[in-house]
Amino acid sequence: MSEIISKPVVPNLKSEILIMVKNEFLKLNNLKIGDSIIWNFRYDTLRSQYKGGMASYGANEESEGVLKENKDGFLYVESVKEYSFYTHKWNQRSGRQSRHTWERTMKKAQHFFGTGFTHVMPTE
C-alpha cells in the first residue's frame, strides 16, 4: 500500500497581521485615518562617483505626512511634500556607444506600516 502524501495548507496571515498592526498603531497613538503626523521619509539623491558617472543614494528627511489606508485596508503614511526618486536607464550597448542616464520622478513618499513581517511555519 502506498500512502498519499499531501502538501499542507498554510494560512495567509499577512493581511490579518497588517490590519491588526494598523488598528494597534492607531489606538496606541490616539490617531485616525487622515490625521497629520511627523514621519522620517525616504527619498533618492543623485551624486557623482569617482571617475565620472553618477549613483543614486537613499536619504531620509523628517516632514509632515498624512495617514492613509489602501484598498486592502493596510495603513501607510504619505508625505505632504514631493520628493525625488531616480530610475537608472541604460541603452544596452557597450564601449563608446554605451549611455547611462538617470530619470528623475517627483512624487510623494510613502511608508507602509508592518510590511517587514514574514510568515514562517512552526517546526514542531
Side-chain angles (χ1 to χ4, degrees):
M1 281 205 281
S2 67
E3 212 177 299
I4 298 176
I5 300 173
S6 62
K7 187 176 180 181
V9 177
V10 179
N12 183 6
L13 300 175
K14 182 181 175 184
S15 56
E16 293 176 25
I17 290 172
L18 290 175
I19 290 172
M20 184 176 63
V21 166
K22 172 188 77 172
N23 294 334
E24 287 299 314
F25 178 84
L26 293 174
K27 186 171 77 173
L28 181 67
N29 294 294
N30 197 22
L31 295 168
K32 57 187 180 299
I33 304 296
D35 284 353
S36 293
I37 62 171
I38 300 296
W39 196 257
N40 193 16
F41 291 103
R42 188 206 164 280
Y43 64 97
D44 294 339
T45 60
L46 200 60
R47 296 184 190 149
S48 62
Q49 289 182 309
Y50 177 70
K51 290 193 177 182
M54 301 292 276
S56 177
Y57 294 93
N60 294 314
E61 179 182 270
E62 277 192 358
S63 69
E64 183 180 352
V66 178
L67 287 172
K68 295 187 175 187
E69 185 177 27
N70 72 358
K71 62 179 174 56
D72 297 322
F74 305 152
L75 181 67
Y76 69 98
V77 60
E78 184 176 71
S79 66
V80 174
K81 178 181 168 182
E82 288 193 344
Y83 289 99
S84 59
F85 293 92
Y86 291 93
T87 307
H88 181 247
K89 303 286 183 182
W90 178 44
N91 67 354
Q92 302 292 326
R93 296 186 181 176
S94 61
R96 292 183 179 189
Q97 295 174 340
S98 177
R99 299 288 178 263
H100 295 269
T101 58
W102 291 90
E103 184 179 295
R104 179 181 178 195
T105 306
M106 294 296 290
K107 62 182 181 179
K108 295 181 179 186
Q110 295 178 340
H111 175 82
F112 281 81
F113 292 94
T115 54
F117 292 115
T118 56
H119 179 68
V120 178
M121 285 295 294
T123 56
E124 289 184 31

